[in-house]
Amino acid sequence: MHRQPGIAQTGQPAATHHSPAIRGRAGLIGGLAALSGILFGLDTGVMSGALDLIAQEFTLSDLQRESIVAIMLLGAALGVIVAAWLSHAWGRKRTLVLTAGLFVIGPLMCAEASSFGMLLFARLLLGVATGATTFTTPLYIAEIADSGRRGAMILGYQLMISCGLLAAFVSDGLFSYFGVWRWMLGIVGFPGLVFMMGVMFLPPSPRWLLAQGRERDARRVLIELRGLPRLVMAERNAIMARLAARKDGIGNFMNDPNCRRAMWLAVGLQVAQQFSGINAVLYYAPYIIGLVGYSHYVQVWGPVGVGVINLLSTCVATFWVDRIGRRPMLIGGFAVMALAMAGQAMILAGGVPPMPGLRLLMGVCMLVFVAAFAFSAGPLAWLLCAEILPLRGREFGMACSTCANWIANMLVSATFLTGLEVLGAGRVLWVYAALNAAFMVMVVLRVPETRGMTLEQIEAELMRGTKLRALGCDAPPEKR
């Protein structure tokens, strides 16, 4: 097990005998914030089973079906912009409380929708909540976690997303026997209420408090999280040094090439995550399964298998991310995703596979693809974005990268069914296979290894002009 690094700006190793109670407190706080991922997963996955039932009730075309999925993603992009301003002005905690309230209102409006237009509005509102939480939660967790556990804590957020997806798929399978899509969508409001009550007890981010000049409050929160006064003062000094050194916001990124290159890498990672094709699989899993020739029963319960694989792979990633590092996981993940997509493209090149063995192989390739994504690009894009963006202006950088994620997600979701009709399933999947191969090359050339480095150490190297790929390469093992 690698040694936990210190948190001082100088990079000196800190004592490893943290109080178990304090470490547990920080973990509990991060875990509670990560519960927003369950809501993200529920609201994302629930449409997979409800879409056909909604289309039957409102007599929807393929374009309207795509719009029900895409409208939430448009709302998510808007939610990121709103959350970027709110998290800076009001703080990360208050932003999470507000978005939790939308997670209660949105599902209830979906359940009561009496028209296609009303359902679109409710899904737009849910998208705003989802986008806001995907911006705020990784940012909050990165700012309360110590460097030795930051990777696992942020990946805990992705783990909660996987749990939410699996719960949504199981719920869809059960409710599908009764044909009650309103229950599928409305029941999500209950965990939203639980989350809203929980986040009210979270402490504010100490980094945000220091940026607001509230040093006494920041020191109190740091003592609650870290325990040892010496560690608290070292972290406080490191944060204040970075705050004093940088300008804030959009001007920082426009004028400083080091900030710009970090932002563009974050945007690239988020776009790569979405153009891997994962949400084409998650949103339209029953449709793809039916396209291969499987029965209605498999279409209903097949997504549950996808959800199980996604959850298990995310658990494995959470365990290994602070042990083997970000780069090896990303490179391997994109390589396997490219091969799995290529396998599916070859199977579907001639239309519906006539042999049961080929249909089974198609299912295996789909599950392998999901497993590779959940082990690599799914969680690590969020983690690296939270790590590499400088403290001053981090809200702006996170807003740009997260907004790029949702726009790319919307483009994939709004064109997938049309692409299948115009180009054919085989050609569409070949495109995604080629994109994953290109993303693997991007990781090899551009993505740094940030395992074990503090946020302040990452930023200090970035601002010295160190190449992105080389960040952390000169640090000895005990300081990385």
Side-chain angles (χ1 to χ4, degrees):
M1 181 178 297
H2 70 277
R3 185 177 176 186
Q4 180 177 330
I7 56 178
Q9 166 124 8
T10 60
Q12 293 301 318
T16 59
H17 50 281
H18 286 212
S19 163
I22 296 298
R23 289 176 63 89
R25 175 65 172 165
L28 178 63
I29 291 169
L32 183 58
L35 285 177
S36 63
I38 287 185
L39 299 173
F40 176 8
L42 283 169
D43 286 308
T44 299
V46 72
M47 192 51 66
S48 174
L51 190 56
D52 285 342
L53 298 172
I54 295 171
Q56 292 171 18
E57 179 166 335
F58 293 121
T59 316
L60 305 181
S61 65
D62 279 351
L63 181 61
Q64 289 174 315
R65 287 160 61 104
E66 287 176 332
S67 67
I68 291 179
V69 175
I71 193 68
M72 178 178 169
L73 308 177
L74 174 62
L78 296 175
V80 170
I81 297 172
V82 173
W85 178 79
L86 286 177
S87 67
H88 177 75
W90 287 10
R92 285 70 157 128
K93 173 187 173 179
R94 291 175 182 171
T95 305
L96 286 173
V97 173
L98 178 61
T99 56
L102 294 179
F103 274 123
V104 178
I105 297 171
L108 296 180
M109 290 183 62
C110 287
E112 294 296 324
S114 58
S115 66
F116 175 64
M118 184 176 176
L119 181 60
L120 284 180
F121 178 76
R123 292 285 292 172
L124 179 68
L125 194 64
L126 264 178
V128 171
T130 304
T133 194
T134 57
F135 169 83
T136 310
T137 299
L139 186 65
Y140 177 80
I141 294 174
E143 292 182 351
I144 67 165
D146 61 80
S147 60
R149 297 187 303 162
R150 185 177 63 244
M153 287 180 69
I154 294 179
L155 262 64
Y157 171 63
Q158 185 70 27
L159 181 62
M160 293 297 102
I161 295 176
S162 299
C163 289
L165 282 169
L166 178 57
F169 292 149
V170 172
S171 174
D172 286 352
L174 295 174
F175 282 123
S176 66
Y177 289 105
F178 306 98
V180 285
W181 64 266
R182 296 180 186 275
W183 276 95
M184 292 181 186
L185 302 184
I187 200 170
V188 180
F190 176 73
L193 180 62
V194 174
F195 174 67
M196 183 174 66
M197 293 187 294
V199 294
M200 292 180 180
F201 297 96
L202 293 177
S205 160
R207 283 177 170 83
W208 180 81
L209 289 172
L210 286 171
Q212 301 299 311
R214 297 167 56 182
E215 183 163 343
R216 180 178 298 178
D217 292 334
R219 187 175 302 176
R220 175 181 54 80
V221 173
L222 284 171
I223 290 174
E224 182 180 0
L225 295 174
R226 308 289 184 252
L228 298 178
R230 179 172 59 83
L231 298 180
V232 168
M233 288 306 298
E235 184 162 359
R236 177 262 178 204
N237 293 338
I239 296 171
M240 291 301 295
R242 300 318 307 168
L243 288 172
R246 307 310 310 167
K247 297 180 180 179
D248 199 5
I250 187 170
N252 189 25
F253 282 85
M254 291 177 63
N255 299 322
D256 193 323
N258 291 319
C259 290
R260 287 201 305 271
R261 63 197 181 105
M263 185 191 70
W264 285 119
L265 178 58
V267 169
L269 286 168
Q270 295 286 20
V271 171
Q273 185 201 67
Q274 290 305 317
F275 276 98
S276 69
I278 183 61
N279 281 318
V281 175
L282 295 180
Y283 293 142
Y284 301 111
Y287 184 91
I288 297 173
I289 292 171
L291 189 69
V292 180
Y294 280 110
S295 66
H296 175 72
Y297 178 83
V298 179
Q299 293 179 49
V300 169
W301 289 104
V304 175
V306 171
V308 170
I309 294 296
N310 185 60
L311 175 59
L312 293 177
S313 298
T314 306
C315 290
V316 174
T318 302
F319 179 80
W320 283 107
V321 65
D322 285 321
R323 291 170 170 80
I324 64 176
R326 285 68 161 149
R327 274 177 53 83
M329 293 171 65
L330 271 178
I331 293 170
F334 277 122
V336 173
M337 283 190 285
L339 293 174
M341 273 294 186
Q344 294 177 78
M346 287 188 288
I347 292 171
L348 289 176
V352 177
M355 300 172 57
L358 286 178
R359 290 199 294 269
L360 178 61
L361 182 59
M362 176 73 181
V364 170
C365 286
M366 180 186 293
L367 293 178
V368 169
F369 173 83
V370 172
F373 175 86
F375 181 75
S376 58
L380 293 181
W382 297 108
L383 172 59
L384 282 164
C385 287
E387 290 180 330
I388 64 176
L389 291 167
L391 176 57
R392 276 293 195 176
R394 182 172 293 154
E395 292 94 342
F396 175 74
M398 286 290 289
C400 290
S401 61
T402 309
C403 193
N405 178 286
W406 286 111
I407 292 173
N409 191 340
M410 181 178 66
L411 290 174
V412 171
S413 304
T415 58
F416 183 70
L417 294 180
T418 303
L420 294 182
E421 182 178 349
V422 175
L423 300 176
R427 290 188 180 93
V428 170
L429 296 180
W430 272 120
V431 169
Y432 285 124
L435 286 172
N436 280 294
F439 297 147
M440 181 187 67
V441 175
M442 180 191 77
V443 174
V444 171
L445 297 178
R446 303 292 290 175
V447 174
E449 180 55 71
T450 56
R451 175 174 63 94
M453 297 178 68
T454 68
L455 298 182
E456 288 70 40
Q457 288 167 347
I458 296 170
E459 182 173 351
E461 288 197 18
L462 178 73
M463 293 307 168
R464 284 199 298 266
T466 304
K467 291 183 178 180
L468 288 170
R469 168 64 185 86
L471 289 179
C473 289
D474 296 331
E478 68 271 12
K479 295 181 183 179
R480 296 191 58 219

